[in-house]
Amino acid sequence: MAKRGGPKHVPFPTREQVAEFIKTSEGRVGRREIARAFSIRGDDRRRLTELLKELQHGGEVEKHRGRKLTGPGQLPDTTEIIITGTDRDGELIARPLEWKAGTAPPRIIMAPQRDKQPLGVGDHVLAKLRRVRGTLYEGRAIRRLAEGPTRVLGLYQRNERGEGRLLPTDRRQKAEYLVTDADANGASPGELVAAEILPGRAFGLRPARVVERLGSMSDPRAVSLISIHTHDIPYVFPADALREAKEAGPAPLGQRTDLRSVPLITIDGEDARDFDDAVWAEPAEGNGWHVIVAIADVSWYVRTGDPLDNEARRRGNSVYFPDRVVPMLPEELSNGWCSLKPKEDRPCMVVHLWLDSDGNRQRYKFERALMRSAARLTYNQVQAALDGKPDDITDMLLEPVLRPLESAWKALNKERQRRGTMELELAERQVIIGPDGRIAAIKPRARLNAHRLIEDFMIAANVAAAEQIEAVHQPCMYRVHDQPSPERLEALRVVLESLGLNLPKGGRVTPGQFNIVLAKASQIPEARMVNEMILRSQAQAVYSPDNIGHFGLGLARYAHFTSPIRRYADLLVHRAIIAGLKLGDGGLLPGAVDEFHALGEIISGTERRAATAERDALDRFTVLYLADRVGATFEGTVSGVQRYGLFITLDETGADGLLPVSALPEDFYFHDEQRQTLTGRRSGQVYKLGDGVTVRLAEANTLTGSLSFQIGDGGPMPPRRGSFKPGSPRPKRGGPPPGVSRSKTKRRPDQKSGKKQKSKGKR
């Protein structure tokens, strides 16, 4: 009888095999499960440990509690989630409370709760999760950790049976609310209303009560109201703050430097509502320049702990919409005593900057002063004058004021180029409101040298402010910007490589390396998309008393000093300089540093809130502008790729919308999250970021502010600049490659072959 041999030698698994095992395993796995699956024994266990560390460092797997691993983007069995809305069937949907991956968060559908208080939108919940397929999970609430808002904004209507309904303006909420006649508060169909969500059952429409009527939804001014209420922007000043603002008056000269004879000028956009910075320059010794940057002295009027200060802190910043502004300070200050109006005496904080011919700062000096603006100019006015086309106002100011400012800026710009500031070129949309209050046009906002001139002077003043505060040993609220995370950089590299662009690997990435990529990208059709991708890869700039520098500007220290009318952070910086240099009343009080960490988080949060509200309003104005062009065709660019479809940015207006996968030629589509592509299994057609496309506007939902597109000509839609060419390798039949999800276009039973289902879009 032959002897039974020893255990067969099993080759050590490859990096790809281990990563794929972790990604495809149900739930989380540890080193023991991996070793058992691949029959790893003895010294190979140590080798496995090193391999798992490499996979974690490379972002291919994620580590959770108990040393358990999952693929990137997978969720643990139990985690904290936030309820984000409802689907069309009224079921609650959620996402992870924390999500750091560079991809869209997984979708969680909450199972109904029986015999418990129903969950609501905004609730934070500890939930048990079960993966259904791909990035879709079912969640079961274990306990509510924090309740969400109890109000909803929406359009009040009546259905065919005369029953009151509330249609939410939030595109994440697909279900309606029930409003009885007793709870309608006199609202008429078509009105925009704020409602209080009432306790309801686990099934069926939740009831709501109208608490505020905001006017007709057909009024274009309703767009900003939606954003203000949706994002909880404070817009009504307390009576004591208003009273304090109305009692304000002119500031005395006192110990201030008298700069009223210096022809300082303000330069802003045509639609600017407040003027808080003024500039002036003159030649200095050694071919250098003496520059004055004067900023409204808000600290004279807004003192720590007063009603005005408490409300400014609560708001954090002004919020700007195309048709209005929600100011940080009441109008008596923001457009009155703190606005540097021409020919009127105004108190100001001033920084003198002495530059050499190469833009290097030689010295600086801060002081309190009294100024009188010589003129209120616009960027277009200044640019036209510098280009040799002055008007009646700028003609008199061209040689004595504008030319010295231009020459000083050119010197300062040399220093900026040497420093290596990241030079992103992103077109900003501008909504033009006509005399009748309706949208006249939406166009890109011009980016002129006049803009860069003011921007560089403000940056120089901000740097000097941070250095001055450090020199006088006062607490500083820095504006900090961290380096991009390794995970975001790696995701960016993958997409850039698909466009033939390379971002160096290893070591610390620099703004200059991004600029090299941007310069190369400027020669390809996908230039705008590359700028946006690089922007999205960056860390969020925040306010903090802990200085880590400003990566994007290439600066070791930076603080906001130049806009105290509209940013509370700048007011704190002014107070620190006043206290440190003993410039009089209105400085930081002793012990102020104790709350700086908490305050930095608060004003960073209000800034994010304002930016979200402004972007939301801009999207809604754009949808309203396009509402009467449903059915028209547009040229656009693929700006996002998801399993469920393509996000398209229109070239004409910059509007974003969804081309659902159901509107693509019928096929099985494989979604590659890393390379950001959708690939047809049968056709081999590849849709990728940056592809130019022709689309037809299928829906412009003015209530939710969303656009949905269809194929441009009703037939197959090859991209105008597609990546697939006949003869290119096609995906293998039978299934997607590892880690790539699959989507299928669907057809209703009553549709003819080739006619795609109309799908409602969601941004």
Side-chain angles (χ1 to χ4, degrees):
M1 186 174 179
K3 282 187 177 182
R4 181 178 296 175
K8 294 182 179 179
H9 174 71
V10 178
F12 192 81
T14 65
R15 179 191 185 105
E16 291 74 18
Q17 287 173 325
V18 174
E20 181 63 18
F21 175 78
I22 295 171
K23 293 175 185 177
T24 56
S25 295
E26 288 293 333
R28 295 175 284 181
V29 297
R31 192 182 69 163
R32 179 179 301 174
E33 290 83 0
I34 299 169
R36 185 182 300 119
F38 291 100
S39 301
I40 297 174
R41 301 181 177 87
D43 292 341
D44 280 347
R45 288 180 175 269
R46 185 177 300 172
R47 187 177 170 189
L48 175 62
T49 300
E50 295 302 317
L51 175 58
L52 294 178
K53 288 181 180 178
E54 292 177 11
L55 290 173
Q56 292 174 51
H57 183 72
E60 296 171 72
V61 301
E62 293 180 356
K63 187 177 181 180
H64 301 275
R65 294 178 182 175
R67 299 183 179 181
K68 297 293 185 178
L69 303 165
T70 68
Q74 294 183 25
L75 296 175
D77 298 335
T78 302
T79 191
E80 293 183 27
I81 62 173
I82 180 171
I83 308 297
T84 57
T86 56
D87 61 17
R88 290 184 175 85
D89 297 323
E91 293 182 325
L92 293 171
I93 54 177
R95 63 169 174 79
L97 189 60
E98 293 187 2
W99 185 252
K100 298 180 180 179
T103 59
R107 178 183 173 91
I108 304 167
I109 298 179
M110 298 301 295
Q113 286 186 293
R114 300 180 185 276
D115 303 323
K116 291 184 180 180
Q117 180 185 353
L119 298 173
V121 176
D123 285 355
H124 293 192
V125 178
L126 181 66
K128 183 79 172 177
L129 302 182
R130 179 181 69 85
R131 188 164 64 166
V132 179
R133 63 179 181 277
T135 57
L136 177 64
Y137 288 78
E138 180 189 63
R140 292 187 178 275
I142 298 174
R143 66 176 180 273
R144 181 189 282 106
L145 302 175
E147 289 194 13
T150 58
R151 286 165 65 101
V152 63
L153 190 71
L155 179 67
Y156 176 74
Q157 287 187 337
R158 288 183 175 274
N159 61 16
E160 61 277 3
R161 296 189 297 274
E163 299 169 329
R165 292 289 187 269
L166 183 67
L167 283 63
T169 58
D170 189 340
R171 64 173 66 100
R172 296 170 302 179
Q173 296 193 51
K174 307 302 181 184
E176 303 174 358
Y177 289 85
L178 172 67
V179 181
T180 65
D181 290 344
D183 291 329
N185 194 20
S188 302
E191 275 194 273
L192 180 67
V193 300
E196 176 187 15
I197 301 174
L198 302 175
R201 301 167 307 205
F203 301 97
L205 296 182
R206 294 192 67 181
R209 178 191 300 121
V210 174
V211 295
E212 188 176 2
R213 298 166 60 188
L214 303 172
S216 173
M217 187 64 194
S218 61
D219 188 340
R221 292 173 296 181
V223 172
S224 294
L225 283 175
I226 291 174
S227 294
I228 289 169
H229 283 76
T230 298
H231 300 284
D232 294 323
I233 304 295
Y235 67 99
V236 177
F237 283 99
D240 53 358
L242 288 174
R243 183 171 55 252
E244 190 177 356
K246 288 178 180 178
E247 292 172 354
L253 177 62
Q255 300 299 313
R256 297 176 183 272
T257 302
D258 192 344
L259 295 179
R260 287 176 289 183
S261 62
V262 177
L264 287 147
I265 61 171
T266 63
I267 306 175
D268 297 277
E270 282 83 351
D271 54 352
R273 298 171 172 88
D274 46 50
F275 317 115
D276 53 7
D277 58 81
V279 292
W280 176 81
E282 66 176 350
E285 59 184 26
N287 296 320
W289 297 94
H290 170 213
V291 175
I292 295 179
V293 177
I295 308 298
D297 189 357
V298 176
S299 59
W300 177 259
Y301 295 101
V302 183
R303 303 295 176 89
T304 303
D306 285 353
L308 277 172
D309 180 60
N310 293 335
E311 183 63 13
R313 178 189 298 218
R314 184 170 79 97
R315 296 181 178 223
N317 42 255
S318 299
V319 189
Y320 294 87
F321 300 106
D323 62 339
R324 74 186 73 199
V325 60
V326 180
M328 185 179 78
L329 301 172
E331 187 175 357
E332 288 81 2
L333 294 182
S334 60
N335 293 335
W337 294 113
C338 294
S339 188
L340 306 181
K341 294 182 177 181
K343 314 304 181 185
E344 296 186 18
D345 291 359
R346 289 291 184 266
C348 58
M349 287 286 294
V350 170
V351 57
H352 297 260
L353 303 168
W354 284 271
L355 312 173
D356 66 18
S357 58
D358 290 325
N360 299 303
R361 195 189 67 223
Q362 302 300 297
R363 58 192 174 98
Y364 63 84
K365 183 180 76 171
F366 283 87
E367 62 184 5
R368 262 177 154 169
L370 195 68
M371 63 162 285
R372 182 180 295 156
S373 172
R376 184 272 199 225
L377 304 180
T378 69
Y379 293 114
N380 289 332
Q381 268 184 299
V382 172
Q383 191 64 55
L386 296 177
D387 291 342
K389 299 176 182 178
D391 58 22
D392 292 342
I393 299 176
T394 55
D395 186 46
M396 298 180 61
L397 296 169
L398 182 58
E399 295 304 325
V401 178
L402 296 181
R403 289 299 182 195
L405 281 170
E406 180 186 35
S407 298
W409 167 68
K410 287 181 177 178
L412 196 59
N413 194 45
K414 292 179 185 178
E415 191 276 333
R416 178 187 180 110
Q417 298 300 321
R418 289 195 303 272
R419 191 173 73 239
T421 300
M422 194 182 305
E423 302 292 350
L424 290 168
E425 291 293 337
L426 297 167
E428 181 184 350
R429 280 179 286 168
Q430 181 180 13
V431 178
I432 309 299
I433 305 295
D436 59 354
R438 300 191 176 276
I439 306 169
I442 295 179
K443 61 181 183 180
R445 193 183 292 271
R447 174 78 169 157
L448 308 172
N449 278 342
H451 290 93
R452 297 181 176 92
L453 180 151
I454 292 298
E455 180 181 290
D456 283 344
F457 283 151
M458 297 304 112
I459 291 174
N462 289 337
V463 173
E467 294 185 7
Q468 180 68 85
I469 292 173
E470 290 181 358
V472 294
H473 308 293
Q474 287 289 318
C476 183
M477 187 62 75
Y478 294 97
R479 178 67 168 178
V480 298
H481 181 221
D482 204 354
Q483 290 201 48
S485 68
E487 295 79 14
R488 288 189 177 186
L489 284 178
E490 188 56 36
L492 177 64
R493 285 190 183 98
V494 171
V495 179
L496 290 177
E497 287 173 2
S498 70
L499 299 173
L501 302 171
N502 294 309
L503 186 65
K505 295 184 178 181
R508 291 169 62 91
V509 69
T510 66
Q513 291 172 330
F514 282 117
N515 287 340
I516 293 173
V517 173
L518 291 167
K520 293 179 179 178
S522 66
Q523 307 301 314
I524 62 176
E526 296 85 0
R528 182 173 69 179
M529 184 202 68
V530 172
N531 276 266
E532 291 174 349
M533 285 194 307
I534 290 178
L535 176 64
R536 289 197 294 265
S537 73
Q538 302 303 304
Q540 180 81 43
V542 296
Y543 294 107
S544 173
D546 300 323
N547 183 31
I548 60 170
H550 197 293
F551 173 79
L553 294 176
L555 294 168
R557 56 187 58 81
Y558 191 64
H560 276 163
F561 165 77
T562 55
S563 294
I565 290 179
R566 61 186 180 91
R567 292 188 305 224
Y568 194 78
D570 302 54
L571 181 55
L572 293 173
V573 168
H574 280 224
R575 288 172 175 169
I577 293 173
I578 290 168
L581 294 177
K582 297 179 173 55
L583 297 179
D585 297 334
L588 278 183
L589 299 180
V593 68
D594 296 340
E595 61 175 356
F596 260 42
H597 279 99
L599 196 50
E601 293 181 4
I602 290 171
I603 59 179
S604 296
T606 59
E607 180 190 47
R608 289 191 297 270
R609 178 182 66 186
T612 303
E614 291 168 352
R615 186 169 55 249
D616 177 51
L618 186 56
D619 289 342
R620 291 178 182 277
F621 270 103
T622 306
V623 171
L624 186 62
Y625 179 65
L626 294 173
D628 60 356
R629 300 177 68 181
V630 171
T633 58
F634 299 87
E635 300 301 317
T637 303
V638 177
S639 55
V641 180
Q642 293 294 338
R643 178 182 54 82
Y644 47 82
L646 308 172
F647 284 105
I648 308 297
T649 300
L650 301 185
D651 298 341
E652 177 186 345
T653 60
D656 295 307
L658 179 70
L659 177 68
V661 71
S662 60
L664 297 177
E666 187 175 357
D667 206 338
F668 284 93
Y669 287 91
F670 304 139
H671 177 219
D672 188 324
E673 290 187 3
Q674 276 198 318
R675 298 189 178 278
Q676 292 288 286
T677 59
L678 279 179
T679 304
R681 184 181 70 179
R682 292 194 299 271
S683 66
Q685 177 68 61
V686 178
Y687 300 96
K688 63 180 179 62
L689 282 175
D691 281 341
V693 295
T694 301
V695 293
R696 185 173 70 252
L697 181 58
E699 182 183 27
N701 191 323
T702 56
L703 180 63
T704 61
S706 58
L707 298 175
S708 180
F709 300 118
Q710 289 183 333
I711 297 168
D713 56 3
M717 189 201 73
R720 287 187 281 115
R721 298 185 298 272
S723 59
F724 172 74
K725 297 178 181 178
S728 299
R730 298 172 182 258
K732 293 181 180 180
R733 292 182 178 272
V740 180
S741 61
R742 177 169 63 184
S743 297
K744 181 182 179 182
T745 57
K746 298 179 181 179
R747 188 188 309 142
R748 293 195 304 264
D750 60 338
Q751 283 184 306
K752 295 180 181 179
S753 177
K755 188 176 181 181
K756 301 299 174 286
Q757 181 178 354
K758 202 171 185 179
S759 178
K760 210 169 191 178
K762 183 177 78 170
R763 261 190 97 252

